[in-house]
Amino acid sequence: MKLVSVETPEKSVCKMTFSATAEELEAASNAVYERTRASYTIKGFAKGEADRAQIEADRGEHTFWYDAINDLMDRDVPALYEAAMAEHGFKAVDEPSYDLVSVKKDEGFVATATTPLQPELNLTQTTGFHVECVTPAVTDKEIDAVLERRRNAAAELVPHKGPAVKGNIVHIDYEGLLDGKPFQGGTAQNQAVQLGSGRMIPGFEDGILGHKAGDEFEINVTFPKNYPNKELAGKPVVFKIKLHDVCVRQLPALNSDFAKKMGKETMEEYRAFVKQQLFDGRHGGALNHAKDQILGQLADAAEGEIPSILVENAYQQQMQVIQQQLQMQRMSLNTYLSQIHETRESFTAKVRAAAEKNTRARMALLQIAQQENLLPTDEEIDKQLAERAEKTKKTVEEIKAGTDIAALRRNEGIRKAADWVIDHSTIEEKVESK
């Protein structure tokens, strides 16, 4: 392969074009064929017995091209790329983005690598920023809510001799029978069930009501028609039940005994402890918000053009994080937008604006790290790699091989510069009364 051209289509963006000849593509494709031929099953041939022509006739002439292109790019491009970056004095601030421009059997292929470069920003201010850190006060009502949650968590199950009622927790053995035969998943031993919780199939919990510890009885229920197990959906079954005990949840009194279990001598001390816990959590959040505001002010003071590809990468990463968070909540983006009464266009515009500001702040911090000699030394990098190796039980060489050292150095420098800017600014702390 060879480097065809190096261009700067926009300020702080480098675009390199690489090409491979038809002969190089053919040789690499044949190597892929030899490496993977055993995995192909072609009609009329035993697995691995079809030759290249037969595979390409069945799957297309491009069958081996893309693995071949990746092999050639992995083999040749890194050295060509690094040499060109050094020759032009370019400083990358992110990994290059590769695109395949064209590929033809008789011409080879052309690919590009687009890389965001460090911009030269005019930093009109780097120190002396001022923000307020406002921490909401903790109310007695909020303390009471925490105490009640912890009191419920410390509740004890106490057996009683009376009949089971809603709210009781019972321990049972059960065996489910479909047409007189046990079915898979229908049997359990010493299963805890809170009556009235609705966690069992309809009718199961109600069938236990009124029975006492030691009773053995049967419950006739019908599985819901939409039950996931199709073999049971809509089917009537019988559960044989053995009721071991009927328990009530006994809440502890909020007194000195409870306080001692929580590590304090009196309830007054424990209330004060809970209040401090709530305040510390809020203060930590408020302080982080204040620090973010300082870095936002730094971004506003950083004049100059930011590489569009860098902003786009940050935007795409943030959108991916948002999508993942919504998936964890089993919610689609459209559903979320309807809940917050916002259009997709306005929402994505806000995310993009935030990505641009965060990127501008990072580039400003990188520039400050260079100016203030905050970039980590080789010795500091080696120490980090050694610590990672020890934690992961790998060798330093293995860790180094899987680490982008340049990115590690940039990120560590940006982190140090953020601390430096915050240390040279003022955070005015206040407590908001309620």
Side-chain angles (χ1 to χ4, degrees):
M1 290 191 67
K2 66 177 181 179
L3 175 65
V4 178
S5 64
V6 179
E7 305 169 279
T8 51
E10 64 178 275
K11 194 173 182 180
S12 300
V13 174
C14 166
K15 184 177 182 179
M16 298 185 193
T17 301
F18 305 91
S19 70
T21 65
E23 292 75 18
E24 288 175 311
L25 177 59
E26 169 59 23
S29 296
N30 198 59
V32 173
Y33 158 69
E34 294 291 350
R35 188 172 73 232
T36 63
R37 61 179 296 179
S39 65
Y40 285 90
T41 301
I42 304 299
K43 188 176 181 180
F45 298 89
K47 186 175 182 179
E49 290 193 356
D51 63 23
R52 180 178 171 186
Q54 291 159 338
I55 295 172
E56 290 179 337
D58 184 74
R59 304 291 179 89
E61 68 171 358
H62 61 277
T63 302
F64 304 104
W65 284 358
Y66 297 105
D67 283 340
I69 290 169
N70 286 333
D71 288 349
L72 287 170
M73 295 282 287
D74 290 343
R75 186 192 72 187
D76 295 341
V77 166
L80 294 170
Y81 173 86
E82 292 298 336
M85 292 291 285
E87 179 183 347
H88 290 81
F90 292 151
K91 294 180 181 178
V93 288
D94 203 353
E95 288 294 304
S97 174
Y98 292 99
D99 290 298
L100 183 62
V101 177
S102 65
V103 55
K104 293 182 180 179
K105 185 175 183 178
D106 56 351
E107 294 180 8
F109 71 89
V110 175
T112 59
T114 305
T115 308
L117 306 177
Q118 183 175 348
E120 294 183 8
L121 300 175
N122 176 30
L123 303 182
T124 60
Q125 184 180 353
T126 59
T127 61
F129 299 108
H130 180 274
V131 296
E132 288 186 352
C133 173
V134 182
T135 304
V138 178
T139 66
D140 287 339
K141 185 177 180 180
E142 290 165 337
I143 297 172
D144 290 339
V146 172
L147 292 177
E148 191 60 28
R149 286 198 299 272
R150 295 182 183 179
R151 182 187 181 208
N152 274 277
E156 296 181 354
L157 293 181
V158 179
H160 76 97
K161 297 180 180 180
V165 298
K166 285 187 178 180
N168 288 160
I169 295 174
V170 298
H171 292 88
I172 61 173
D173 296 341
Y174 64 80
E175 180 184 32
L177 303 174
L178 174 63
D179 297 329
K181 298 179 180 179
F183 56 85
Q184 187 175 5
T187 301
Q189 301 293 319
N190 202 34
Q191 176 76 41
V193 178
Q194 182 173 359
L195 302 181
S197 66
R199 294 183 180 178
M200 307 298 282
I201 63 172
F204 188 96
E205 294 170 22
D206 289 343
I208 300 174
L209 297 175
H211 288 282
K212 298 181 180 180
D215 287 355
E216 295 187 28
F217 52 94
E218 293 182 353
I219 298 174
N220 293 288
V221 296
T222 300
F223 277 92
K225 291 182 179 180
N226 61 349
Y227 194 69
N229 186 338
K230 300 303 180 184
E231 295 181 359
L232 296 174
K235 299 290 181 64
V237 297
V238 176
F239 281 98
K240 292 184 176 181
I241 308 290
K242 182 176 181 179
L243 181 56
H244 293 296
D245 60 29
V246 178
C247 301
V248 294
R249 295 179 72 252
Q250 191 172 79
L251 296 175
L254 294 177
N255 54 24
S256 58
D257 290 337
F258 179 78
K260 287 175 181 176
K261 287 182 180 178
M262 297 295 144
K264 301 298 176 183
E265 287 298 316
T266 65
M267 278 304 298
E268 288 73 18
E269 288 182 20
Y270 188 56
R271 285 185 67 89
F273 174 74
V274 170
K275 181 176 183 179
Q276 191 63 47
Q277 279 186 315
L278 291 173
F279 181 83
D280 289 347
R282 292 177 181 181
H283 179 259
L287 190 58
N288 287 335
H289 179 65
K291 292 176 180 179
D292 288 342
Q293 285 182 306
I294 289 176
L295 300 182
Q297 291 181 12
L298 173 66
D300 293 337
E303 299 175 348
E305 188 176 342
I306 300 294
S308 59
I309 186 175
L310 201 58
V311 175
E312 179 64 21
N313 289 345
Y315 165 75
Q316 294 295 343
Q317 289 171 4
Q318 186 56 40
M319 286 299 296
Q320 187 175 11
V321 169
I322 292 170
Q323 294 278 15
Q324 289 172 346
Q325 291 173 340
L326 291 175
Q327 286 175 4
M328 291 176 64
Q329 301 174 46
R330 297 182 179 180
M331 184 184 299
S332 68
L333 179 58
N334 287 337
T335 302
Y336 172 68
L337 293 176
S338 67
Q339 290 184 356
I340 63 174
H341 306 292
E342 189 155 12
T343 65
R344 182 179 287 264
E345 291 73 18
S346 63
F347 179 76
T348 54
K350 289 179 181 178
V351 176
R352 188 176 293 278
E356 195 280 337
K357 190 161 190 173
N358 289 340
T359 301
R360 185 173 293 277
R362 283 179 60 82
M363 291 302 97
L365 290 169
L366 180 59
Q367 193 164 314
I368 290 171
Q370 293 163 343
Q371 293 172 353
E372 301 297 329
N373 295 317
L374 298 174
L375 290 173
T377 63
D378 290 341
E379 290 75 15
E380 290 172 324
I381 293 292
D382 289 341
K383 182 180 179 181
Q384 283 198 26
L385 296 177
E387 290 172 351
R388 289 187 187 180
E390 185 177 356
K391 287 181 180 179
T392 58
K393 308 300 182 184
K394 294 181 179 179
T395 66
V396 173
E397 289 70 24
E398 288 175 322
I399 296 296
K400 187 173 290 187
T403 302
D404 184 337
I405 302 299
L408 176 61
R409 195 184 303 275
R410 283 196 305 271
N411 291 334
E412 185 64 12
I414 288 170
R415 185 192 66 78
K416 287 184 177 182
D419 290 341
W420 184 88
V421 171
I422 292 167
D423 288 343
H424 287 78
S425 298
T426 301
I427 298 177
E428 184 180 349
E429 299 201 27
K430 296 181 179 180
V431 177
E432 180 183 48
S433 60
K434 289 191 177 183

